């Protein structure tokens, strides 16, 4: 199958997270992206349908399967969302195979578990650090609520992590890099990722800029360093889940659902300090923590020659 084929040229010990499992970003050299006239234009033109193909596949399959059960059946809705996310990986692998004449090494399965696990640890630690700063300086009130169902928050975190990282990193960042080089690719993916959140509840331009600086830089840097999306996926998933379920804070302007705690900004403080109704992602501590991690990863990737144009 096409999904199995992704792993054939990327076999590494599944128990290892050492740097030998990392690779330069594979930008694409064949099919639509073969060297020649107007390759930059072909890369841009290919990015558009591939971007929407991933999104539409995940959304359509999730809605179709979810329609067989009531929305209150959280375990089955979780299964529907998981299948939708996996389908987006499959359709991406198939599209890359057909159009670019290669296996999609950026989503190779053999290194998935160790790299995903590393990303989960990083994402959870980063958001916990943000909330620790918030609590220490009295920016947020954090109240424990007790046990709560995790099915819905976990489903949303997995879908956001897998589908958005495919769209923003594997498609947009990679193909803009193919077309214009790494600096332009990061700028475009930052802008699209940040300002795509303007349609969210309680969104502001400042919040969109924060999202671009935080996730756009950090998650793109993980992809540049490892050559695969799994660390980015794990960090994205864990950040959202820790934010919405563990701390019960607003996630990009909306509540993620059931939570074991409830975190609310204290009254009288400026929104740029706490994030206000949009949540901690639009706060100064959130920006500083993510920039510190993102810039560090960018520096490591640069020192290792990961930004050399291919």
């Amino acid at each position: 199958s096409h999904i199995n084929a992704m792993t054939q040229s990327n076999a590494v010990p599944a128990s290892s997270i050492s740097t030998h499992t990392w690779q330069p970003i594979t930008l694409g050299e064949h099919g639509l992206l073969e060297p020649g006239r107007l390759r930059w234009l072909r890369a841009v033109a290919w990015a558009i349908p591939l971007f929407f193909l991933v999104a539409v596949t995940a959304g359509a399959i999730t809605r179709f399967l979810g329609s067989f059960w009531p929305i209150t059946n959280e375990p089955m809705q979780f299964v529907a969302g998981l299948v939708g996310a996996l389908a987006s990986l499959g359709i991406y692998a198939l599209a890359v195979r057909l159009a670019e004449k290669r296996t999609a090494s950026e989503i190779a399965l053999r290194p998935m578990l160790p790299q995903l696990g590393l990303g989960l640890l990083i994402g959870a630690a980063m958001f916990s650090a943000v909330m620790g700063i918030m609590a220490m300086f009295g920016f947020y009130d954090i109240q424990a609520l007790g046990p709560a169902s995790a099915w819905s928050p976990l489903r949303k975190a997995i879908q956001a992590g897998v589908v958005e990282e495919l769209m923003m990193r594997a498609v947009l960042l990679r193909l803009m890099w193919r077309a214009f080089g790494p600096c332009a690719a990061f700028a475009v993916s930052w802008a699209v990722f940040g300002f795509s959140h303007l349609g969210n509840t309680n969104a502001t331009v400042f919040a969109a800029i924060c999202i671009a600086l935080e996730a756009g830089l950090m998650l793109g840097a993980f992809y540049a360093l490892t050559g695969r999306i799994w660390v980015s996926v794990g960090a994205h998933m864990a950040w959202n889940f820790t934010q919405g379920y563990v701390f019960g804070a607003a996630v990009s302007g909306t509540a993620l659902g059931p939570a074991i705690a409830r975190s609310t900004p204290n009254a009288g403080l400026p929104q740029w300090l706490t994030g206000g109704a949009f949540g901690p992602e639009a706060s100064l501590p959130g920006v500083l923590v993510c920039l510190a991690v993102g810039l560090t990863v960018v520096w490591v990737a640069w020192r290792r020659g990961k930004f050399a144009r291919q």
Side-chain angles (χ1 to χ4, degrees), residues 216-231:
L217 174 65
M218 175 190 63
L219 298 176
F222 284 136
Y223 180 34
L225 178 62
T226 66
R228 298 185 174 94
I229 68 167
W230 298 122
V231 176

Side-chain angles (χ1 to χ4, degrees), residues 240-258:
N240 281 19
F241 185 77
T242 306
Q243 183 172 203
Y245 181 75
V246 176
F247 286 96
V251 181
S252 300
T254 61
L256 196 61

